[in-house]
């Protein structure tokens, strides 16, 4: 069995390094969203990287916006067990249906994760700021994945360049 580290694996490591570095420079609270977005976004070619990045970004934005709706409903109806038990699954269903209708299937998991993280894990007085920060961090991760994938050619492109040089 041959152990191999491929170009996409190296590019993924580089993306994570750059996300952490940029997040440190920008003094972001956490590096997790930027790095996860970069890992999910980076694909075998630019076309798929752009597609997955767009889906991931739209999913995170939709999850953040939907979490704001949930927080507003909590402020109107209270954050009771009954409201949480029925309202959150309904809003998840609606959010997934909207993303599917718009053709952003790959963004549904990120949207749900964003919504549920904000609603259940972030203190209510920090929810709006966290929602905004998550979107900013998604842009960082997607931008870095696009930059790395654009800057470092895939093997097929390298072979094409080598063939041109050999001619």
């Amino acid at each position: 069995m041959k152990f191999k580290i491929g170009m996409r694996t190296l590019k993924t490591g580089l993306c994570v390094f750059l996300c952490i570095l940029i997040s440190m420079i920008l003094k972001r609270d956490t590096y997790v969203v930027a790095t996860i977005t970069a890992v999910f976004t980076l694909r075998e070619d630019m076309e798929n990287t752009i597609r997955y990045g767009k889906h991931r970004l739209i999913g995170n934005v939709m999850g953040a916006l939907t979490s704001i709706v949930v927080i507003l409903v909590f402020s109107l109806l209270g954050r009771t067990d009954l409201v949480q038990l029925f309202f959150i699954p309904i809003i998840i269903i609606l959010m997934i249906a909207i993303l599917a209708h718009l053709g952003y299937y790959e963004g549904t998991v990120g949207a749900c994760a964003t919504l549920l993280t904000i609603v259940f894990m972030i203190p209510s007085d920090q929810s709006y700021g966290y929602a905004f920060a998550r979107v900013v961090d998604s842009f960082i991760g997607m931008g870095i994945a696009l930059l790395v994938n654009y800057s470092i050619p895939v093997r097929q492109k390298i072979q094409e360049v080598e063939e041109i040089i050999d001619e």
Side-chain angles (χ1 to χ4, degrees), residues 21-120:
L21 178 64
I22 297 296
S23 295
M24 286 177 171
I25 290 169
L26 297 176
K27 299 188 185 323
R28 306 297 300 154
D29 288 335
T30 180
Y31 320 135
V32 70
V33 175
T35 55
I36 288 173
T37 298
V39 170
F40 283 147
T41 299
L42 188 74
R43 298 295 163 161
E44 63 278 358
D45 57 31
M46 270 310 276
E47 181 181 330
N48 283 315
T49 298
I50 291 169
R51 190 177 98 240
Y52 276 88
K54 188 166 116 179
H55 284 244
R56 175 93 179 152
L57 187 64
I58 289 171
N60 279 342
V61 169
M62 180 67 88
L65 292 174
T66 306
S67 73
I68 292 169
V69 172
V70 171
I71 293 163
L72 290 173
V73 168
F74 285 168
S75 69
L76 294 172
L77 303 177
R79 193 178 181 137
T80 66
D81 291 346
L82 202 56
V83 171
Q84 291 181 67
L85 182 63
F86 289 102
F87 184 69
I88 292 174
I90 289 169
I91 201 79
I92 291 274
I93 290 167
L94 291 172
M95 184 177 63
I96 292 171
I98 290 168
L99 286 166
H101 176 74
L102 296 174
Y104 295 109
Y105 301 100
E106 289 95 348
T108 58
V109 172
C112 292
T114 298
L115 168 65
L116 296 170
T117 299
I118 292 169
V119 170
F120 290 133

